[in-house]
Amino acid sequence: MLGSGSTLHRVRRIAGIVLAVLLIGGVVAAVVAGRQDGDKGTATKTVRAVIGSEKADFFADPDVVKALAAKGYTVKTETSGSWAMEGLDLKGFDLAFPSSQAPADAIAAKYHVRQPLPRPFYSPLVVVAHRSAAQVLAANGLTTVDQHRGVLKMSAYLDAARHDRTWQQLKGSGKYGELAGTVYIASTDPETSNSGALYLAAASYVAQGGKVVASNADVDRTAPLMRKLISVQGAQQSSSDAPFRDFVSGAGNPLVLVYESQVASLLIGKQDPGDLTVLYPDNTATSDHTVVPLTQTGRDLGELLSTDPALRRLAVRHGFRPQGDAAEFTAATAPYTSYLNQTLTGVRQAPVPTSAVLHEMARRARG
Amino acid sequence: MRRRLAVLAATAALLTACTSTQDHGDKPEATAPVPGTLRVLASSELSDMTPVLDQVRKDTGITVKPTYMGTLDAVDLVAKGGADQAYDALWLSSNDYLRLRPDAAKKIVSETPVMSSPVAIGVRTDAVARLHWKPEDVTWSRIEQAVQDGELTYGMTDPARSNSGFSTLVSVASALSGAQSALTDADVTKATPRLKEFFKGQKLTSGSSGWLAQAYVRRGNVDALLNYESVLKQIDGLTVIRPKDGVVTADYPVSTLAASSAGTREQVRRLTEALRSDAVQKLITERTYRRPVVPSVRPAAGLDTGRRRELPFPGSRSVADGLLDSYENKLRRPSRTVYVLDTSGSMRGDRLDRLKKALIGLTGDFRQREEVTLMPFGSDVKSVRTHVVSPADPQSGLTAIRKDTDALTADGDTAIYTSLEKAYEHLGGGKDTFTSIVLMTDGENTTGAKAGDFDAFYRGLAPAERETPVFPILFGDSDRAELAHIADLTGGRLFDARQGSLDGAFEEIRGYQ
């Protein structure tokens, strides 16, 4: 047999430690700059950064390496779950670059970093669906759909979740054999992964009638529903990459929570999206990629990422929305407006609880 | 006959996996890292990826050196730290079970799925016609109904040892429990009566997909196999059906390990990138019938592209292990096994001690309702002692087996064939059980019936009796050709305890019982 059972509770609690261990042996994408550009004479500054994994492709992009080198930087990155960074010893790093503001604020407080923190780019959470699922949701008043995109009505969705609504109960689902079982959005594990945690942030905000979860009483009140949203999913993946890939390959769940940047980078990279429909929750959380400078070099790099036109363009290539002027994102995604809601019309940003509150929500949701 | 040949050819790759799992025993040798070579701990069923890995080597210069192992055993090894330093990457059919074990999950840094294959049922084409099934409409309840009506029998791999068996079990339990979301302990309890009926239809069990396919062809009277679509597609004469009400899909993630160096992880990333390139994805789907994970490559011809519901995998280890536990001890047909044990003079001393230790170790693994017969032999069978592990009091049966094992003594000649004949006579027909004979000998046959006598004896058995396979274990000075012949004749499989350990061989055979 495979050993004794009922280690579930311990499993979940250990997750935080797990991530810390991951970082210690973390991925080092040593990026050697200064070769391609012919600027051999220029001394480059080596910057050490701990980053959320969804930015690993960006920093590994040879054009990004080149653009950084042109400004005199060699960036060495290690990846870590954003929510695990605050538990790490960041000595020797120039910056931490989590995918959310809440963990960034927690790290900034711990290391007495002065605000404001540079936030070079962001990306809202979206739900990807195949056309069949999107149309059934639309027919039942849970979404609006226009070509390949739509808006998901979160309160209607949460209502369905509260009542354990199944696909079979939704009208029009009969034609699609794959639409069966409880209607749920598949997310990543909220205890280890940023997108899973942000899902709880948005859902709890809506569940409380547009009020961010701030107290123990709020956590208690929302816990049963949050637990339901997570437990129906069974095993969850630990990063948003795998579920998106499963979705694109036609396997996996009908509704999957991903970052808009994942979809945008697929489209900008001219890959075939199949019959993918992008549903923007009407209340969604945004992944604010926030730099926590730990040294002056770190702060300089954070500013550079925010302001350098070449780096902003490259961020767009990876699907991110640069902070401030929307022109670059709008231009690059102009051919894909049937998929992407460029102006986020009808989408409200749900505020994210503090790191401590969100941790507690995630822990209780995983049960 | 033509079909048999086709199947055997198709499963040759799978069978390679079985052979290699024998070689490493339970503790694979740690080897030093070599630049450009990645030591990958991989699920056994990935042995059919050899042509794909050859292509990757041409494209990238990266040589993958795989060590094949059952997925659940591999998870166990990772959890215990046995993969640290010994391997550069992990490549399992699925990380679902690994994720339920924090001690294993913490060893993984990143995972990238590189292909997928859903659980499916492969039904003999004539049986599809007899059942009047339209493949696109078949549901798990339809399959269940056919089993209840006595119209459908099937084989599957052992869920405790093989990921395909485990995924099948989760698919069946989710579908038949009526659970609308991830399985809970309550769902499993509720579904138990229906599952019990369902598993009455299981006529074949196996520790590996390769042997399952082989036994299916040999048996000829089993209607279907439950396994991954990719495995079933490689067997001739099966109509492969993905039940309409949902399946569990393997997504074969390549995982990097926390214990590796950054340089190694970069190599693994390059390997993953190469596996996900359009050309390689095309090769994968065309060669192995797995599904591509990039939208630009279409699944191989013959793979139905209709969507299926993905059944959620249990979110906790208590549910997953509880399901396995109930399968082993309550749901599946019990096994009846005769252990034909050489205790001739040559076994005296160390060899007998090792046999005793291995058998006593095995008592921790016997399932409830299992009937175990110890048949030690020398110049003839010395004694026949049968014990049942009763659900009411499992310990008393196990204690009795240990006691009998302790009392074994070594003397006399080696009457292999005479003893085997007596084992067949003891077992008789199947009686709704999985019957098998394990033969452990350290030498050649020296007395009693000869090989030819045994062949004639076996051929004279009733068809139901001939369904009992012999699993011989090579040990000490036993004769490989002699034992291989016994395995071939009876549809068993040869296990080698000379390279690995006797404990390991006994343990591996459990998957086939």
Side-chain angles (χ1 to χ4, degrees):
Chain A
M1 290 308 301
L2 292 157
S4 62
S6 75
T7 46
L8 170 64
H9 298 284
R10 206 162 62 231
V11 174
R12 303 306 164 200
R13 235 163 275 136
I14 285 169
I17 303 166
V18 169
L19 278 167
V21 173
L22 288 191
L23 178 79
I24 292 161
V27 178
V28 183
V31 174
V32 183
R35 283 188 202 147
Q36 302 95 326
D37 239 2
D39 56 349
K40 295 180 195 74
T42 319
T44 61
K45 267 188 202 156
T46 297
V47 188
R48 292 191 64 213
V50 53
I51 63 169
S53 60
E54 53 293 298
K55 290 181 289 288
D57 282 349
F58 171 78
F59 282 105
D61 183 335
D63 290 331
V64 172
V65 173
K66 217 177 194 173
L68 286 168
K71 297 289 175 181
Y73 293 99
T74 300
V75 180
K76 293 193 173 191
T77 62
E78 298 195 21
T79 59
S80 162
S82 299
W83 297 88
M85 287 180 192
E86 63 182 278
L88 302 170
D89 181 6
L90 296 176
K91 209 174 133 212
F93 284 99
D94 296 292
L95 67 145
F97 200 178
S99 314
S100 242
Q101 200 184 336
D105 287 344
I107 299 164
K110 186 173 165 185
Y111 290 88
H112 311 291
V113 177
R114 97 183 121 81
Q115 297 273 1
L117 305 174
R119 261 186 286 156
F121 37 79
Y122 66 99
S123 192
L125 279 170
V126 297
V127 173
V128 288
H130 293 295
R131 190 171 300 133
S132 52
Q135 278 170 352
V136 170
L137 291 179
N140 290 271
L142 284 122
T143 61
T144 58
V145 176
D146 176 18
Q147 296 187 54
H148 304 291
R149 67 178 165 93
V151 172
L152 175 70
K153 296 171 188 167
M154 279 298 276
S155 57
Y157 166 70
L158 292 182
D159 203 48
R162 265 187 213 104
H163 294 98
D164 303 313
R165 193 92 15 99
T166 61
W167 285 100
Q168 299 90 306
Q169 291 167 347
L170 298 184
K171 60 175 184 245
S173 66
K175 318 192 259 274
Y176 309 108
E178 77 273 19
L179 297 179
T182 305
V183 177
Y184 67 80
I185 296 169
S187 74
T188 54
D189 182 344
E191 279 200 297
T192 59
S193 159
N194 187 53
S195 60
L198 290 179
Y199 174 46
L200 294 184
S204 60
Y205 176 75
V206 175
Q208 291 219 111
K211 185 169 149 290
V212 69
V213 171
S215 64
N216 284 336
D218 291 348
V219 172
D220 288 346
R221 195 161 38 238
T222 52
L225 181 60
M226 297 305 111
R227 173 141 174 68
K228 195 168 241 182
L229 295 178
I230 299 303
S231 64
V232 292
Q233 301 182 38
Q236 295 176 298
Q237 310 236 37
S238 52
S239 91
S240 54
D241 182 55
F244 184 59
R245 291 187 195 280
D246 285 347
F247 179 88
V248 168
S249 72
N253 292 288
L255 303 173
V256 181
L257 188 80
V258 301
Y259 295 113
E260 184 200 48
S261 58
Q262 292 174 277
V263 180
S265 103
L266 180 95
L267 294 167
I268 292 167
K270 300 205 165 29
Q271 293 185 58
D272 174 11
D275 74 346
L276 169 142
T277 303
V278 188
L279 301 175
Y280 288 77
D282 56 9
N283 284 275
T284 196
T286 292
S287 173
D288 281 306
H289 297 275
T290 306
V291 172
V292 186
L294 301 165
T295 63
Q296 187 55 45
T297 312
R299 186 165 285 276
D300 294 345
L301 183 75
E303 297 301 338
L304 184 72
L305 288 169
S306 310
T307 54
D308 183 71
L311 286 166
R312 285 172 65 99
R313 259 198 315 279
L314 287 163
V316 170
R317 177 197 283 180
H318 290 271
F320 300 111
R321 291 173 181 252
Q323 212 49 257
D325 189 356
E328 295 119 319
F329 185 81
T330 306
T333 58
Y336 312 111
T337 51
S338 62
Y339 291 93
L340 301 175
N341 185 343
Q342 286 184 323
T343 53
L344 297 178
T345 311
V347 178
R348 191 190 327 182
Q349 279 243 27
V352 178
T354 63
S355 185
V357 170
L358 207 42
H359 271 307
E360 178 61 11
M361 286 176 68
R363 192 186 67 75
R364 304 247 319 244
R366 287 267 13 166
Chain B
M1 204 47 183
R2 216 170 26 179
R3 175 162 63 191
R4 170 176 302 195
L5 289 175
V7 173
L8 291 179
T11 53
L14 296 168
L15 290 170
T16 318
C18 310
T19 324
S20 58
T21 48
Q22 288 166 38
D23 294 341
H24 58 69
D26 46 356
K27 280 192 204 85
E29 284 285 299
T31 51
V34 179
T37 296
L38 290 173
R39 301 158 305 160
V40 177
L41 179 58
S43 291
S44 309
E45 48 163 313
L46 287 165
S47 58
D48 63 354
M49 292 292 287
T50 309
V52 174
L53 294 175
D54 287 346
Q55 186 60 47
V56 167
R57 184 172 53 234
K58 280 183 210 136
D59 294 348
T60 62
I62 296 173
T63 302
V64 170
K65 189 167 159 277
T67 300
Y68 298 111
M69 197 180 285
T71 304
L72 305 191
D73 288 338
V75 169
D76 223 36
L77 184 73
V78 170
K80 289 176 180 146
D84 298 352
Q85 314 308 331
Y87 298 103
D88 301 316
L90 184 66
W91 192 8
L92 303 179
S93 311
S94 151
N95 279 357
D96 284 337
Y97 188 73
L98 178 135
R99 241 174 259 124
L100 301 180
R101 297 196 50 175
D103 44 356
K106 73 178 182 194
K107 304 282 188 182
I108 302 298
V109 179
S110 70
E111 48 183 288
T112 311
V114 292
M115 54 198 181
S116 74
S117 193
V119 164
I121 181 169
V123 187
R124 202 182 276 283
T125 304
D126 55 322
V128 176
R130 170 164 58 76
L131 291 158
H132 304 294
W133 277 0
K134 273 170 68 190
E136 62 278 16
D137 291 337
V138 173
T139 58
W140 287 108
S141 351
R142 211 43 190 280
I143 298 167
E144 180 196 27
Q145 192 58 52
V147 169
Q148 272 181 10
D149 296 345
E151 304 252 338
L152 184 78
T153 57
Y154 60 87
M156 65 181 260
T157 55
D158 180 4
R161 282 165 181 84
S162 157
N163 195 63
S164 65
F166 192 37
S167 295
T168 302
L169 178 62
V170 171
S171 299
V172 171
S174 296
L176 297 187
S177 68
Q180 298 297 317
S181 49
L183 275 180
T184 62
D185 293 316
D187 293 326
V188 175
T189 310
K190 194 180 117 207
T192 296
R194 282 182 78 178
L195 292 172
K196 217 165 176 166
E197 285 297 314
F198 184 86
F199 287 113
K200 277 187 186 160
Q202 188 189 351
K203 301 291 179 195
L204 268 181
T205 181
S206 169
S208 71
S209 301
W211 190 83
L212 182 72
Q214 212 182 17
Y216 160 81
V217 172
R218 182 189 163 89
R219 201 59 93 69
N221 59 358
V222 175
D223 302 315
L225 292 178
L226 295 173
N227 209 310
Y228 287 125
E229 175 185 61
S230 61
V231 173
L232 299 173
K233 276 281 181 187
Q234 296 180 49
I235 303 173
D236 218 20
L238 290 180
T239 300
V240 179
I241 300 171
R242 293 173 305 146
K244 201 179 156 188
D245 42 352
V247 289
V248 169
T249 303
D251 64 358
Y252 306 92
V254 174
S255 308
T256 56
L257 296 167
S260 328
S261 70
T264 299
R265 281 198 294 266
E266 174 57 19
Q267 290 286 305
V268 176
R269 194 193 60 73
R270 282 184 56 221
L271 166 68
T272 310
E273 203 176 78
L275 285 167
R276 294 174 53 90
S277 68
D278 285 3
V280 173
Q281 288 279 304
K282 197 158 181 289
L283 188 64
I284 288 174
T285 189
E286 279 164 8
R287 286 298 186 95
T288 73
Y289 291 104
R290 292 190 184 83
R291 292 167 182 257
V293 286
V294 298
S296 43
V297 177
R298 304 309 305 156
L303 293 177
D304 171 22
T305 52
R307 291 207 181 92
R308 288 294 180 274
R309 174 186 175 202
E310 180 68 19
L311 296 168
F313 194 86
S316 80
R317 192 173 170 194
S318 85
V319 177
D321 284 351
L323 184 59
L324 268 175
D325 185 71
S326 69
Y327 173 81
E328 297 290 342
N329 295 307
K330 296 193 191 98
L331 303 175
R332 51 164 271 161
R333 300 198 305 171
S335 42
R336 293 177 66 219
T337 310
V338 179
Y339 285 87
V340 178
L341 306 168
D342 184 346
T343 55
S344 60
S346 62
M347 283 290 289
R348 204 166 294 143
D350 175 53
R351 285 181 181 175
L352 188 67
D353 291 344
R354 281 160 67 190
L355 172 63
K356 288 182 176 181
K357 184 177 145 278
L359 274 176
I360 286 171
L362 207 53
T363 54
D365 203 45
F366 288 128
R367 309 171 185 103
Q368 288 173 21
R369 304 171 300 149
E370 179 159 4
E371 184 191 295
V372 178
T373 299
L374 299 181
M375 199 178 264
F377 73 94
S379 302
D380 198 347
V381 168
K382 296 179 180 176
S383 64
V384 181
R385 306 271 296 169
T386 298
H387 303 285
V388 176
V389 184
S390 98
D393 178 17
Q395 278 315 316
S396 69
L398 298 173
T399 309
I401 295 168
R402 282 188 211 108
K403 213 172 127 201
D404 284 349
T405 302
D406 254 342
L408 295 175
T409 55
D411 60 78
D413 293 331
T414 311
I416 295 176
Y417 296 110
T418 300
S419 307
L420 280 181
E421 291 178 11
K422 290 191 173 166
Y424 272 100
E425 282 159 9
H426 173 83
L427 282 168
K431 286 198 243 166
D432 265 338
T433 54
F434 293 116
T435 56
S436 63
I437 295 168
V438 177
L439 168 66
M440 195 289 309
T441 176
D442 75 332
E444 295 173 29
N445 187 53
T446 57
T447 185
K450 303 271 193 299
D453 302 334
F454 177 70
D455 285 19
F457 166 86
Y458 178 80
R459 297 207 167 95
L461 290 171
E465 292 176 299
R466 278 204 302 269
E467 288 180 358
T468 299
V470 177
F471 298 111
I473 302 174
L474 277 169
F475 184 61
D477 310 308
S478 52
D479 178 347
R480 184 174 196 117
E482 189 171 67
L483 297 187
H485 174 73
I486 294 169
D488 283 349
L489 177 71
T490 62
R493 224 195 96 189
L494 186 61
F495 291 83
D496 195 341
R498 293 179 307 189
Q499 288 154 348
S501 66
L502 195 53
D503 315 34
F506 273 126
E507 171 57 35
E508 201 184 345
I509 293 174
R510 293 295 297 154
Y512 297 78
Q513 296 174 328

